[in-house]
Amino acid sequence: MAVQEQPYGWDEIEEAASFLGERTILRPAVAIVTGSGLGAVADEMEAADIIPYGEIPCFPPTGVEGHAGELALGVLDGNEVAFMRGRVHFYEGYSLQRITFPIRVLHKLGAGTLIVTNAAGGLREDFAAGDLMLITDHVNLVGMAGFSPLRGANDPRLGPQFVEMSAAYDPGLREIAVSVAGELGLALRQGTYVMCAGPTFETPADVRFLRLIGADAVGMSTVPEVIVARHEGMRVLGLSHISNVIPGELAPSGAEISGEGSLHQEVLEAGRKAVPRLSLLIKGILRRMAEA
Ligand code: HPA
């Protein structure tokens, strides 16, 4: 029996990074993952090189609606950036090693900073759909259940065996985000993100449990990417778009339950509306990072 899965290691990372190195002259210092419905944030870039995930060696192709599945490299406000337009999720059936492989490749290409965005369900009563939330910390529920992108023999060329997570979301970048949001007059919540594996949304009992363990927003992504970025020594900034607020009470009897998939549509639609604010915030943060 195989003890570990390690097919997306050093050699594959080198192969994918050298493929990208030949396809583009850009060497982005910042990698940005756009979550559900948020891919249009990349549209503001000049001189973009667009490369479908399917063409990049070992990249997992995404089949989820709202996730384009392409890498867009370009210049945004004077900064060379790489946008991952769409991400691959654990619930799609890939291993955590595989879904986080693109982060390692972008780091190899030169990215020292990762900005992760996602759509998340709000767990707090004072959150509203459309809010932006700066992720200050996360609860790794999937990790606690035994799934980690670092499981298996560690390759010390990639990072250390044990990864410090007490400041996974970079305090300096958080400070910049808060300050830029203030300058732009954008409301920015702060809170703890929890990852559930999905693809089911939460029951009311799930919601009460997640609130109890200190989570403010719940989603189906991000945490594995942050773990791998920290393993690689990258600085991380996380931004959630609260696409919906989830009730902790059972629907009353006789209530009409929305049809299958409609919450996913709601998430995508809300995401499209949040794109202009999220773009402004990210551009402001990049500008400030370039000045620092
Ligand atoms: N739950 C889990 N993931 C999500 C949600 C949600 O309510 N909204 C957007 N992503």
Side-chain angles (χ1 to χ4, degrees), residues 67-141:
H67 290 265
E70 60 192 21
L71 197 60
L73 303 103
V75 180
L76 188 62
D77 271 40
N79 295 278
E80 289 189 16
V81 297
F83 274 98
M84 283 183 63
R85 259 190 171 142
R87 57 154 61 87
V88 179
H89 302 81
F90 191 42
Y91 63 72
E92 291 173 69
Y94 300 110
S95 68
L96 291 176
Q97 282 86 352
R98 182 138 195 226
I99 67 175
T100 53
F101 176 77
I103 307 293
R104 297 202 185 274
V105 174
L106 292 173
H107 179 254
K108 173 77 78 185
L109 200 64
T113 299
L114 175 69
I115 300 180
V116 266
T117 69
N118 58 49
L123 294 166
R124 284 171 48 162
E125 309 227 316
D126 60 338
F127 277 11
D131 282 353
L132 293 179
M133 185 188 91
L134 174 67
I135 305 177
T136 53
D137 201 357
H138 70 222
V139 180
N140 185 4
L141 214 47

Side-chain angles (χ1 to χ4, degrees), residues 238-277:
L239 296 167
S240 286
H241 165 239
I242 305 297
S243 52
N244 54 293
V245 174
I246 341 175
E249 298 88 37
L250 278 173
S253 64
E256 222 167 275
I257 305 299
S258 49
E260 214 172 279
S262 68
L263 183 51
H264 183 58
Q265 292 306 324
E266 192 182 317
V267 167
L268 296 184
E269 186 50 37
R272 280 187 272 276
K273 286 192 205 143
V275 161
R277 278 178 297 137

